[in-house]
Amino acid sequence: MALTTAQLATASRLITSVFDKAVRAASPFYPRISTVVSSDAAEEKYAWLGDMPGMREWLGERIFKQLRAADYELRNKHWESSLLVSKTDVADARVLKYKMLIEALAAEATYHPDELLFTTMVAGESTACFDGQFFYDTDHSWGDSGSQSNDLTYAAATGTVPTSAEFRAAYNQAYAAMLAFKGDNGKPLYRPTQAQQVERPLVTVTPTLYPTALEALSARFDTNGNPVVIMGNPEVMPIAYLTDATKFYVHDTSGPLKPLIFQEREPLSRQLKGQDDLETKDLKLMTEARYNAGYGAWWKSVLTTFT
């Protein structure tokens, strides 16, 4: 269908403005829990993860720190989402009926990194990170750190369904484990002066487990009226991408290095084509981006499974 220049210009402005406005209004979660890394190649290597240079008394010659043999590589992936807009609807001034679809396309493209991030996080029980162990594992070891676990269990009296008190105890166990982690130089990763930086850990749970977690970590007294101890003033967040109600995660999101990595090669872009193409009866709204999610600082995230 032949369209006038004015019709095409009006439709193009409307379609792209609706999309751009929806993208600007979005507030994705992934920067909260991942270190955002700019990539300039098809993949990036993270040999530096886990290496903690320390001070020593200067006796004799200097001893220079070298990176250990980590060979963690994260390859970028190419993503797209597209939508057809009928030229007949453009000619009949009915483009507005696509408004919700265009907004949904923008939301899908903008929030997809969150979905990818939580899929990556859940896969951390069976996917290796920089030290060759699974991201959530019972025997992380790097340099002089000794064997350390960020994959904990807690026995609930009723099996895999915890009470509020049991969830609180399991959370305190995870938080205490996090504070005790050591770097490859054998020194504590969390110094006394960092206490306030871990003052607001993020606890992510399934929607099913959320009521129990919220009750457990917002209570000030137990069922007998006794004060309860809740370490670190945590924030609880239900995540629909998490589905196993026997598990929850405690994350330290402070500082520049986060538990996960979001590697950005090419940011989200969009293009509208087909305005002058007589071979097609549709306008084509197309989006694309290149990025991937991977594993960063395992010691800043602890998984607990109720048994």
Side-chain angles (χ1 to χ4, degrees), residues 217-293:
L217 301 183
S218 62
R220 292 295 174 263
F221 300 93
D222 63 18
T223 55
N224 297 318
N226 300 313
V228 298
V229 174
I230 302 173
M231 302 171 67
N233 188 27
E235 174 187 358
V236 184
M237 181 174 292
I239 303 296
Y241 296 120
L242 304 180
T243 58
D244 189 341
T246 68
K247 302 177 184 294
F248 72 93
Y249 303 78
V250 179
H251 314 282
D252 173 15
T253 61
S254 64
L257 186 58
K258 304 292 196 298
L260 300 173
I261 293 172
F262 180 77
Q263 182 173 285
E264 185 177 64
R265 177 66 178 91
E266 295 177 4
L268 177 66
S269 62
R270 52 92 178 139
Q271 185 177 12
L272 186 66
K273 293 186 67 176
Q275 294 95 320
D276 300 320
D277 188 352
L278 297 180
E279 293 184 4
T280 177
K281 61 180 180 180
D282 300 298
L283 300 180
K284 301 173 181 178
L285 178 59
M286 304 171 291
T287 72
E288 68 173 309
R290 288 175 66 194
Y291 52 79
N292 204 357

Side-chain angles (χ1 to χ4, degrees), residues 1-12 14-15 85-98 275 281-283:
M1 170 173 288
L3 298 172
T4 67
T5 301
Q7 287 174 319
L8 287 170
T10 299
S12 296
L14 178 60
I15 292 169
V85 177
S86 169
K87 289 180 180 178
T88 301
D89 288 327
V90 173
D92 295 340
R94 300 181 64 186
V95 179
L96 280 175
K97 77 177 188 179
Y98 291 91
Q275 294 95 320
K281 61 180 180 180
D282 300 298
L283 300 180

Side-chain angles (χ1 to χ4, degrees), residues 29-42:
F29 178 81
Y30 70 89
R32 175 84 183 274
I33 200 174
S34 63
T35 302
V36 179
V37 178
S38 295
S39 173
D40 58 6

